[in-house]
């Protein structure tokens, strides 16, 4: 008889030596679906079908077709789309097609394979209801003002040149395309004709400019299509038509509210029927918001915000109760009071000894105990003068004689500053070192030819990240002049064509057919080295500039 007692031992040995290997399906699929058959063929002439069938080389899925798929010219009724395995069916409404017209259906990012989600990009289907296929192309780009960022997700519209200007963006266009993430656009399969052009960035997808705050663009110069068409650059802007709602009132520290800054709106704030409550208004640097400050005793009380609109010549009112957000505050030691915040422009290792020291308080200052401020250096205690830089009494300037390449210490005792809210500051200590006397450069600027006569030309000196406006000067005169002496480093320059000479950038107006005031950003950095001067010479109306 055979002995099988060794089998369990062998089986256990086999299991212990086995290595578990996960199952794989081969290489990862990275290719998008590919169309292999059209019914009718793409670029078909004398098109009379109402069903289009497109077969792909693999199973597909359709993502957000309502947003992604566009037909140009626009169809009166939205087609229906249905996926069956590898086939996409498009059903057009009966009698929805114009005679002798070329139609382009663009699929955007809607078509992807069903396994890995690889997207088929730049896919389109074209057909003509006539005997010829229109083949002209037209391209361009769009820039948003004043940020100068590429106009992503805009719709570019072409209208017949016979419609009045007042109808632009208020009726549906004849042709349209969507911009890329880089702000570029391209029309294909257009017919010989003359068009008017505009652009809109919208959320409700109705092709109509009907919401204040939507970004728009237009060009007074018509698009005359020929065999070769130069590209067109559009300037997008948001009109100053926006109204402020209660939800846009920001609440911060006790006794402070914030509102968006809009050039056409002016605000005033009242508590009760009298003007006995002191209220201070401040426009925040770089004009991104307007803030109101009032005593903490008025928190949670009813107030009225008056909003005057210089465009519509109307006045709106919003009644609300003030409050504040705990998330932006910090508690003081041994007290339940919230302390205002104290900021400084001092840089620990590179403070400019030629500019005054600056403090910014989160609350308008109504009282200062100067005995609580001390500036010490190698020579001992520093004398200083103190005054307010702005009407809101939040920016405090300390003038003192600092030496280059020295170490200093600024100390501020608690309760030195008393704010309008009644709250007082926490203590502050800052050790810092001034930069060397040679760590400066000079910037000169001017116009090359004649005076800029259409308003004024503004020059903005910005930090290298375009976040901070360092200095703004008027360049109406043609002579070269000193803009200033600045610490070494990298800077950026931009020019603003100040059409109405009000000293700030202004948006455009569709009603008045006014584009936004033009902003030209110099792509080249200004590199300031110790003791070196940079001279910028500009010719208005051109891209020409010189750096010496």
């Amino acid at each position: 008889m055979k002995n099988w007692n060794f089998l369990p031992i062998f089986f256990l040995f086999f299991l212990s030596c086995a290595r578990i290997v996960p199952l794989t399906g081969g290489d990862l699929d990275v290719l998008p679906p590919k169309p292999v058959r059209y019914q009718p063929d793409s670029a078909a002439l004398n098109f009379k079908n109402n069903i289009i069938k497109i077969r792909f080389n693999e199973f597909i899925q359709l993502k957000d077709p309502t947003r992604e798929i566009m037909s140009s010219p626009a169809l009166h009724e939205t087609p229906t789309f249905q996926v069956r395995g590898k086939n996409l069916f498009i059903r057009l409404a009966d009698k929805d097609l114009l005679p002798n017209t070329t139609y382009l259906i663009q699929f955007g990012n809607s078509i992807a394979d069903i396994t890995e989600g690889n997207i088929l990009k730049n896919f389109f289907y074209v057909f003509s209801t006539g005997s010829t296929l229109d083949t002209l192309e037209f391209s361009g780009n769009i820039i948003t003002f004043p940020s100068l960022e590429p106009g992503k997700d805009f719709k570019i519209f072409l209208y017949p040149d016979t419609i009045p200007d007042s109808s632009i963006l208020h009726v549906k266009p004849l042709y349209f395309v969507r911009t890329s993430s880089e702000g570029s656009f391209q029309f294909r399969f257009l017919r010989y004709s003359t068009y008017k052009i505009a652009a809109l960035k919208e959320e409700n997808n109705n092709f109509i400019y009907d919401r204040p705050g939507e970004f728009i663009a237009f060009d007074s110069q018509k698009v005359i299509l020929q065999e070769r068409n130069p590209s067109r650059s559009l300037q997008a802007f948001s009109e100053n038509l926006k109204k402020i709602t209660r939800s846009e009132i920001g609440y911060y520290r006790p006794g402070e509210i914030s509102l968006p800054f809009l050039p056409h709106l002016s605000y005033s704030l009242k508590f009760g029927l009298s003007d006995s409550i002191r209220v201070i208004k401040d426009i925040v640097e770089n004009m991104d918001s307007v803030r109101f400050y009032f005593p903490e005793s008025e928190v949670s009380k009813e107030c009225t915000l008056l909003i005057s609109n210089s465009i519509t010549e109307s006045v709106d009112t919003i009644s609300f109760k003030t409050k504040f957000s705990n998330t932006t505050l910090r508690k003081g030691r041994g007290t339940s009071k919230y302390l205002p915040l104290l900021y400084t422009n001092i840089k620990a290792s590179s403070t400019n000894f030629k500019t005054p020291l600056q403090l910014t308080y989160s609350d308008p200052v109504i009282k200062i105990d100067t005995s609580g401020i001390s500036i010490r250096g190698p020579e001992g205690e520093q004398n200083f003068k103190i005054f307010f830089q702005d009407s809101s009494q939040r920016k405090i300037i300390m003038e003192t004689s600092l030496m280059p390449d020295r170490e200093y210490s600024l100390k501020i005792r608690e309760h030195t500053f008393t704010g309008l809210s009644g709250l007082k500051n926490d203590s502050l200590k800052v050790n810092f070192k001034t930069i060397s006397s040679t760590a400066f450069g000079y910037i000169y600027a001017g116009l090359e030819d004649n005076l800029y006569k259409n308003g004024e030309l503004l020059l903005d000196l910005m930090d290298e990240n375009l976040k901070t406006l360092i200095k703004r000067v008027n360049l109406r005169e043609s002579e070269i002049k000193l803009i200033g002496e600045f610490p070494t480093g990298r800077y950026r320059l931009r020019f603003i064509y100040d059409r109405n000479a009000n000293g700030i950038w202004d948006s455009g107006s569709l009603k008045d057919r006014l584009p936004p005031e033009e902003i030209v950003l110099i792509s080249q950095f200004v590199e300031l080295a110790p003791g070196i001067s940079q001279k910028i010479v500009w010719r208005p109306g051109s891209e020409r500039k010189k750096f010496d």
Side-chain angles (χ1 to χ4, degrees):
M1 186 174 74
K2 296 182 179 179
N3 188 352
W4 298 96
N5 291 334
F6 71 93
L7 285 178
I9 299 174
F10 174 79
F11 184 66
L12 290 173
F13 174 78
F14 176 78
L15 287 178
S16 66
C17 295
R19 184 165 57 94
I20 299 175
V21 180
L23 296 176
T24 65
D27 295 335
L28 182 67
D29 180 15
V30 296
L31 297 178
K34 180 180 179 181
V36 294
R37 189 181 307 122
Y38 302 90
Q39 291 179 340
D41 287 338
S42 186
L45 304 178
N46 300 309
F47 186 94
K48 292 180 171 56
N49 300 59
N50 66 343
I51 295 180
I52 302 169
K53 177 183 176 183
I54 305 175
R55 184 170 178 82
F56 294 86
N57 64 337
E58 59 181 315
F59 291 97
I60 65 166
Q61 58 178 316
L62 210 56
K63 297 182 176 182
D64 198 5
T66 303
R67 171 178 169 77
E68 291 290 339
I69 303 179
M70 302 188 303
S71 171
S72 187
L75 299 170
H76 296 292
E77 295 185 28
T78 304
T80 60
F81 303 92
Q82 185 179 25
V83 173
R84 296 179 188 171
K86 299 180 180 181
N87 299 313
L88 171 62
F89 293 89
I90 306 168
R91 182 180 294 273
L92 307 176
D94 294 335
K95 301 180 181 178
D96 200 19
L97 301 178
L98 300 173
N100 300 314
T101 302
T102 298
Y103 283 88
L104 175 66
I105 301 177
Q106 301 173 88
F107 292 87
N109 294 325
S110 65
I111 298 176
D113 63 44
I114 204 168
T115 54
E116 301 296 337
N118 298 309
I119 295 173
L120 176 60
K121 297 183 178 181
N122 302 318
F123 178 58
F124 62 85
Y125 179 87
V126 63
F127 62 90
S128 174
T129 57
S131 58
T132 59
L133 194 73
D134 298 322
T135 57
L136 293 184
E137 296 185 358
F138 172 66
S139 62
N141 72 298
I142 186 165
I143 301 294
T144 56
F145 279 55
S147 67
L148 300 182
E149 294 178 351
K152 178 183 177 181
D153 289 332
F154 275 80
K155 292 187 181 77
I156 311 298
F157 300 152
L158 290 181
Y159 302 88
D161 71 330
T162 54
I163 72 167
D165 289 342
S166 59
S167 296
I168 298 294
L169 291 171
H170 296 303
V171 298
K172 290 192 175 181
L174 180 60
Y175 297 102
F176 67 93
V177 294
R178 184 180 288 127
T179 59
S180 68
S181 58
E182 293 80 27
S184 61
F185 64 86
Q186 182 176 22
F187 286 93
R188 297 172 176 169
F189 304 103
L190 298 175
R191 68 173 56 182
Y192 282 95
S193 189
T194 301
Y195 303 93
K196 293 180 179 179
I197 187 171
L200 173 65
K201 187 172 186 178
E202 59 173 353
E203 295 181 0
N204 54 1
N205 207 35
N206 66 352
F207 301 88
I208 302 295
Y209 176 41
D210 56 2
R211 294 189 179 185
E214 290 181 331
F215 273 80
I216 62 172
F218 60 87
D219 194 337
S220 299
Q221 184 179 357
K222 295 180 180 180
V223 177
I224 304 175
L225 288 186
Q226 301 172 348
E227 289 293 343
R228 293 184 178 181
N229 300 289
S231 62
R232 187 72 59 91
S233 183
L234 300 177
Q235 302 170 348
F237 62 94
S238 177
E239 283 193 293
N240 291 331
L241 299 177
K242 181 177 174 61
K243 287 189 175 183
I244 298 299
T245 62
R246 186 178 282 104
S247 63
E248 293 176 283
I249 301 174
Y251 302 94
Y252 297 95
R253 286 159 287 276
E256 177 184 352
I257 65 171
S258 175
L259 296 157
F261 173 82
L262 295 170
H264 68 295
L265 298 182
S266 61
Y267 307 103
S268 60
L269 186 69
K270 290 184 63 174
F271 289 86
L273 300 176
S274 67
D275 294 324
S276 59
I277 304 300
R278 185 179 181 186
V279 177
I280 294 178
K281 182 173 71 171
D282 181 31
I283 299 178
V284 178
E285 190 173 0
N286 292 336
M287 293 188 171
D288 61 353
S289 65
V290 177
R291 297 197 175 180
F292 284 97
Y293 303 90
F294 46 88
E296 185 184 5
S297 59
E298 301 307 307
V299 173
S300 300
K301 291 187 178 180
E302 194 78 24
C303 66
T304 302
L305 178 67
L306 302 174
I307 308 171
S308 299
N309 191 317
S310 62
I311 296 177
T312 61
E313 298 182 350
S314 61
V315 178
D316 295 325
T317 61
I318 299 177
S319 296
F320 62 100
K321 284 187 177 181
T322 61
K323 57 183 180 180
F324 65 90
S325 169
N326 293 350
T327 58
T328 60
L329 306 176
R330 55 195 175 95
K331 289 187 177 181
R333 296 188 301 269
T335 176
S336 61
K337 284 279 190 179
Y338 282 89
L339 298 178
L341 302 178
L342 188 61
Y343 309 92
T344 176
N345 70 334
I346 297 173
K347 298 180 180 180
S349 59
S350 58
T351 295
N352 187 353
F353 65 90
K354 295 188 178 184
T355 59
L357 302 180
Q358 178 180 296
L359 298 172
T360 302
Y361 203 53
S362 58
D363 202 20
V365 176
I366 60 174
K367 183 181 178 181
I368 302 177
D369 179 7
T370 55
S371 67
I373 303 175
S374 170
I375 304 174
R376 292 189 64 86
E379 300 83 12
E381 195 76 20
Q382 296 279 134
N383 294 323
F384 62 89
K385 294 180 180 180
I386 193 166
F387 57 90
F388 294 110
Q389 185 183 25
D390 61 341
S391 59
S392 71
Q393 299 182 186
R394 293 181 56 244
K395 291 184 173 61
I396 301 131
I397 297 297
M398 293 182 293
E399 282 192 346
T400 186
S401 299
L402 300 177
M403 300 296 291
D405 202 20
R406 297 286 196 278
E407 293 184 351
Y408 292 89
S409 175
L410 168 67
K411 294 181 180 180
I412 299 177
R413 193 174 59 224
E414 65 177 354
H415 297 178
T416 296
F417 298 99
T418 303
L420 179 63
S421 66
L423 301 180
K424 299 182 179 183
N425 69 286
D426 197 358
S427 60
L428 175 70
K429 180 179 179 180
V430 181
N431 296 320
F432 62 96
K433 184 178 180 180
T434 54
I435 58 179
S436 167
S437 59
T438 61
F440 289 89
Y442 301 86
I443 296 179
Y444 294 81
L447 305 183
E448 184 176 70
D449 295 325
N450 298 326
L451 299 180
Y452 176 58
K453 298 178 182 179
N454 299 321
E456 297 182 351
L457 189 65
L458 304 177
L459 168 64
D460 286 348
L461 180 67
M462 311 285 294
D463 71 316
E464 63 176 315
N465 298 316
L466 299 174
K467 299 296 184 183
T468 303
L469 174 61
I470 298 171
K471 190 169 184 178
R472 173 173 288 174
V473 295
N474 186 311
L475 287 183
R476 191 179 185 91
E477 298 82 12
S478 58
E479 72 267 19
I480 306 298
K481 61 182 181 181
L482 176 66
I483 303 302
E485 180 185 31
F486 304 96
T488 55
R490 284 154 60 96
Y491 299 87
R492 299 291 298 273
L493 293 175
R494 71 181 182 192
F495 292 86
I496 300 176
Y497 290 87
D498 189 12
R499 184 172 51 225
N500 56 3
N502 65 349
I504 62 174
W505 176 84
D506 289 293
S507 187
S509 169
L510 179 63
K511 177 182 176 182
D512 299 326
R513 303 296 292 173
L514 281 176
E517 290 182 337
E518 186 177 357
I519 302 175
V520 179
L521 177 66
I522 304 301
S523 58
Q524 184 178 352
F525 286 91
V526 177
E527 303 273 0
L528 277 188
I532 302 300
S533 298
Q534 283 275 23
K535 184 170 69 174
I536 299 96
V537 183
W538 179 261
R539 172 181 289 176
S542 77
E543 293 300 317
R544 203 168 108 197
K545 66 270 181 189
K546 294 189 294 186
F547 287 81
D548 298 330

